[in-house]
């Protein structure tokens, strides 16, 4: 499958390269035909004196052919023919329309620019050539002959802009389609979420253990542990009372036989103080 896809892709690239080569060839042919048409529209409106000057430069045969109606209709037919062959062979209608408009815009623009340069050289800069004797009539000749080429130029620019707009729209649609195809392929190739693996050994054990009962038992045990009250107060009281009793006993024992008048220490069991003779309590 991969080899088939690679071969089909290579074939498409080869076919696309050949179509691009044909597009370039037809563009050049349309440009030449449109240039001849522009020259025909420019020369046929010139005066006979200017045409004679052109005949001396380019030859009478070429000048007469360019000034005739046959050249005009042959040039128009050639432009239409090359455009039809371009569409038929490449199947690229938007690019063919764009190429037709650009080629037909370049031809009249170049002819108008050439005539304007010649007129400026002869009339403004006084360059000596074969057109110098007709310097006074050149501006009027240019104005009379430029109208057809200006219309041809504007019409070609409109055709070119339409072709460019169509090509841009098609390019945007292809880009959106490619983005949708990429997103769909990404979603199709995305790995599914991993499912929990079941262990056949632990399943019966887990099924036999009542989970809810164990949870309730654990919670009850925890609550019982938390609720255990340790009674520390009794032990503390008993220990404190024992210590106080012992202290009292020791104090009483130390005061036995002591005279309350003179403070002399007497033997236990004696009723009268041996020092002052007072009766002991």
């Amino acid at each position: 499958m991969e080899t088939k896809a690679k071969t089909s892709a290579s074939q498409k690239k080869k076919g696309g390269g050949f179509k691009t080569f044909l597009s370039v060839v037809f563009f050049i042919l349309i440009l030449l035909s449109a240039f001849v048409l522009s020259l025909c529209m420019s020369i046929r409106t010139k005066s006979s004196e200017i045409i004679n000057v052109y005949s001396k430069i380019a030859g009478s045969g070429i000048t007469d052919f360019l000034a005739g109606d046959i050249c005009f209709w042959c040039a128009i037919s050639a432009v239409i023919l090359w455009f039809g062959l371009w569409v038929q062979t490449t199947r690229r209608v938007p690019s063919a329309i764009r190429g037709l408009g650009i080629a037909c815009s370049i031809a009249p623009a170049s002819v108008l620019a050439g005539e304007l340069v010649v007129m400026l050289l002869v009339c403004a800069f006084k360059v000596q050539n074969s057109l110098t004797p007709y310097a006074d009539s050149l501006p009027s000749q240019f104005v009379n002959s430029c109208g057809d080429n200006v219309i041809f130029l504007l019409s070609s620019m409109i055709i070119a802009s339409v072709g460019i707009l169509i090509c841009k729209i098609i390019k945007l649609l292809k880009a959106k389609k490619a983005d949708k195809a990429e997103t769909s392929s990404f979603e199709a190739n995305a790995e599914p979420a991993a499912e929990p693996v079941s262990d056949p050994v632990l399943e019966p054990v887990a099924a036999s253990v009542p989970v809810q009962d164990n949870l309730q038992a654990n919670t009850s045990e925890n609550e019982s542990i938390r609720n255990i009250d340790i009674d520390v107060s009794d032990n503390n009281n008993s220990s404190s009372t024992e210590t106080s009793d012992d202290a009292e006993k020791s104090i009483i024992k130390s005061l036995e036989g002591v005279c309350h008048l003179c403070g002399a220490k007497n033997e236990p069991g004696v009723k009268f103080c041996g020092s002052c003779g007072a009766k002991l309590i």
Side-chain angles (χ1 to χ4, degrees):
M1 294 295 290
E2 292 180 357
T3 55
K4 288 181 179 179
K6 288 181 180 179
T7 53
S8 62
S10 61
Q11 288 176 359
K12 286 182 180 179
K13 287 182 179 179
K14 290 180 181 179
F18 181 68
K19 288 181 179 180
T20 303
F21 173 74
L22 288 177
S23 299
V24 174
V25 171
F26 287 124
F27 178 81
I28 295 172
L29 292 173
I30 290 173
L31 179 61
L32 294 175
S33 302
F35 185 74
V36 172
L37 180 61
S38 298
L39 287 175
C40 181
M41 289 188 296
S42 176
I43 293 174
R44 65 188 299 185
T45 56
K46 295 290 193 296
S47 62
S48 59
E49 292 84 4
I50 303 297
I51 291 175
N52 291 329
V53 174
Y54 288 163
S55 298
K56 292 177 182 179
I57 297 172
S60 59
I62 296 174
T63 305
D64 293 338
F65 177 74
L66 290 174
D69 294 333
I70 297 174
C71 178
F72 178 78
W73 292 110
C74 286
I76 292 177
S77 301
V79 171
I80 297 171
L81 176 64
W82 298 133
F83 176 72
L85 290 174
W86 190 348
V87 174
Q88 186 66 28
T89 53
T90 60
R91 302 294 182 183
R92 296 176 177 177
V93 180
S95 61
I97 295 172
R98 180 183 60 186
L100 174 66
I102 293 172
C104 292
S105 299
I106 294 172
S110 60
V111 171
L112 290 171
E115 289 185 354
L116 183 61
V117 169
V118 171
M119 185 181 66
L120 290 174
L121 290 174
V122 174
C123 298
F125 298 102
K126 305 298 181 181
V127 177
Q128 297 295 324
N129 54 24
S130 57
L131 293 173
T132 303
Y134 310 100
D136 296 333
S137 63
L138 281 179
S140 61
Q141 295 282 333
F142 177 76
V143 172
N144 293 328
S145 62
C146 70
D148 295 336
N149 280 322
V150 169
I151 294 172
F152 186 29
L153 175 62
L154 295 176
S155 302
S156 302
M157 291 176 66
I158 293 171
I159 294 171
S161 61
V162 170
I164 291 170
L165 180 62
I166 294 172
C167 291
K168 291 290 185 181
I169 292 171
I170 292 173
K171 189 175 181 180
L172 290 175
L173 293 175
K174 286 182 179 179
K176 288 183 180 180
K177 190 180 290 185
D179 292 337
K180 288 181 180 179
E182 287 180 359
T183 53
S184 61
S185 62
F186 178 76
E187 290 176 356
N189 294 327
E191 295 181 356
E195 296 181 355
V197 180
S198 60
D199 193 351
V201 178
L202 297 177
E203 279 183 354
V205 177
S208 61
V209 176
V211 180
Q212 189 172 2
D213 295 340
N214 291 331
L215 290 174
Q216 291 179 354
N218 291 328
T219 53
S220 61
E221 289 178 359
N222 292 328
E223 290 178 356
S224 61
I225 291 171
R226 290 176 183 175
N227 293 326
I228 293 175
D229 294 330
I230 299 173
D231 192 4
V232 187
S233 60
D234 295 338
N235 294 327
N236 291 329
N237 293 327
S238 61
S239 60
S240 61
T241 52
E242 288 177 357
T243 53
S244 61
D245 292 338
D246 294 335
E248 290 178 357
K249 287 180 180 180
S250 61
I251 291 169
I252 292 170
K253 187 177 287 185
S254 62
L255 292 175
E256 286 184 355
V258 177
C259 180
H260 61 282
L261 292 176
C262 64
K265 179 70 175 176
N266 298 296
E267 293 294 331
V270 178
K271 295 182 178 181
F272 296 96
C273 178
S275 176
C276 64
K279 188 176 181 179
L280 299 176
I281 298 171

